[in-house]
Amino acid sequence: MLERIQRGPQRRPLAVCVYGVPGVGKTTFGASAPGALVWCLEDGASFIDVAKLPAPESWNEALGVLQELADKPHDFKTLVVDTLDALEVLAVAHVCAEAKKKTLADFAWGGGYAALANEWRRFLSGLDNLRAKRAMHIVLIAHEHRKRHDDPELGQYEMYRPKLQEKAWGLTNEWCDAVLFAQFDAAVFEKEGQKNRAIVSGRRVLRTVRETGFVAKNRLGLPRKVDLDWKSFEAAAVPPSTDVLRKELVELCTLAGEDVATKAHGFLADRGESVETLRAAIETVKTYLAEKSAA
């Protein structure tokens, strides 16, 4: 057994869930992944030039699609499920039909929700099979909704999270390598003698670390904020060298000006030039440039 010990990060196909505000570009993000096949449970990919798989008519058909993708030859490298909440509707309908119930709430002792969780495990197992047998990336897209959260220290507040039933979401959150909140980047400006105002820039971003306003998760070592495009995301998931990051920072500081460059170099002088600190400096300069452009 000891001879099987491995060291260092293990490279494997990515498994991510992307959710966020309408129209931010979640489907476009998934469709830009290498060799993407978009499973169109909704019509979000109608105007995108990408391979599309039509929606299944039943839950068993959906599970069969996953098995077929695992068993039959094809050259797709990424499966994009668009959307998870539409797929969940099929799972709920299947559970209720099997038990001859109208809704999950009609089951005794929470049995309907437990049955849904069992079916959802079958779905996630099918995705695992795709990753293992076909080395496919998995991108799960979901709508967002706001849910009240009770925190022992901070009290009650609302958070964005994917629009899934509690047990299904818990299993999905545990399964994913990253849960990414997609939004339009924004900042609040404070000016003396004026009311604070929020300015939304044209930049679309993925938030990778949970905050009080939204759920997120990150096993991939991602920076807190990544541009909403697959190239940027994949580059962040596979960290570049410090030399590459240092070159990017120099280019951004040239655009931002001497004052910003001085602050960035001071930040690195205090904390050292690691992948993490260089990424933090790059993100700060990018935010400054976006805010400057929007002002």
Side-chain angles (χ1 to χ4, degrees):
M1 180 63 71
L2 293 181
E3 66 272 11
R4 297 169 60 186
I5 292 174
Q6 298 178 333
R7 297 184 183 276
Q10 308 302 311
R11 182 69 170 144
R12 61 176 186 169
L14 299 170
V16 301
C17 176
V18 181
Y19 76 105
V21 299
V24 72
K26 302 182 292 294
T27 303
T28 301
F29 168 79
S32 65
L37 173 64
V38 179
W39 199 3
C40 299
L41 292 110
E42 297 185 5
D43 58 358
S46 298
F47 300 101
I48 301 175
D49 183 12
V50 66
K52 302 176 182 71
L53 188 64
E57 295 184 1
S58 69
W59 179 245
N60 283 332
E61 183 183 341
L63 296 179
V65 166
L66 295 181
Q67 191 63 53
E68 190 173 349
L69 283 171
D71 293 342
K72 292 189 176 181
H74 60 78
D75 57 359
F76 297 112
K77 295 180 174 60
T78 305
L79 176 65
V80 182
V81 181
D82 188 16
T83 63
L84 272 187
D85 25 321
L87 185 65
E88 186 189 61
V89 171
L90 293 179
V92 171
H94 173 79
V95 167
C96 290
E98 287 285 296
K100 298 181 180 179
K101 304 287 186 182
K102 289 184 178 181
T103 70
L104 295 179
D106 294 334
F107 289 72
W109 305 105
Y113 300 101
L116 174 62
N118 287 335
E119 292 298 328
W120 206 250
R121 290 187 184 94
R122 295 176 66 198
F123 163 63
L124 296 176
S125 178
L127 297 181
D128 276 332
N129 194 31
L130 280 180
R131 296 176 76 195
K133 292 182 68 173
R134 308 307 297 251
M136 292 182 74
H137 299 304
I138 306 296
V139 178
L140 307 175
I141 295 174
H143 294 296
E144 48 74 30
H145 79 145
R146 289 186 296 181
K147 184 175 178 65
R148 186 169 295 278
H149 179 75
D150 291 320
D151 188 286
E153 295 183 355
L154 302 178
Q156 288 190 343
Y157 55 90
E158 287 192 335
M159 297 183 71
Y160 284 114
R161 52 153 278 187
K163 190 180 178 181
L164 287 175
Q165 192 277 329
E166 200 71 40
K167 289 184 181 295
W169 168 239
L171 291 169
T172 305
N173 185 39
E174 182 180 341
W175 180 83
C176 288
D177 295 323
V179 176
L180 310 170
F181 179 55
Q183 65 174 176
F184 296 95
D185 205 14
V188 176
F189 287 84
E190 300 179 11
K191 292 188 177 180
E192 188 175 350
Q194 298 182 20
K195 290 183 178 180
N196 296 348
R197 65 191 184 104
I199 293 182
V200 179
S201 73
R203 185 184 177 196
R204 302 165 190 238
V205 297
L206 295 168
R207 306 292 294 275
T208 69
V209 179
R210 174 176 172 153
E211 296 185 12
T212 53
F214 55 85
V215 169
K217 173 185 172 181
N218 176 6
R219 288 179 185 157
L220 303 174
L222 298 166
R224 298 180 72 89
K225 192 185 296 184
V226 182
D227 286 332
L228 180 57
D229 68 78
W230 184 268
K231 184 178 179 181
S232 297
F233 165 71
E234 190 171 34
V238 183
S241 67
T242 54
D243 289 340
V244 171
L245 291 172
R246 191 180 301 111
K247 181 180 178 181
E248 182 180 357
L249 179 60
V250 169
E251 292 173 351
L252 289 169
C253 285
T254 300
L255 296 174
E258 186 175 345
D259 288 347
V260 174
T262 299
K263 291 178 181 179
H265 292 314
F267 172 82
L268 294 176
D270 290 341
R271 295 165 176 80
E273 289 193 4
S274 64
V275 169
E276 291 74 18
T277 56
L278 284 164
R279 277 179 161 175
I282 286 169
E283 181 54 42
T284 300
V285 178
K286 280 184 176 180
T287 300
Y288 168 80
L289 289 170
E291 292 172 356
K292 183 179 178 181
S293 175

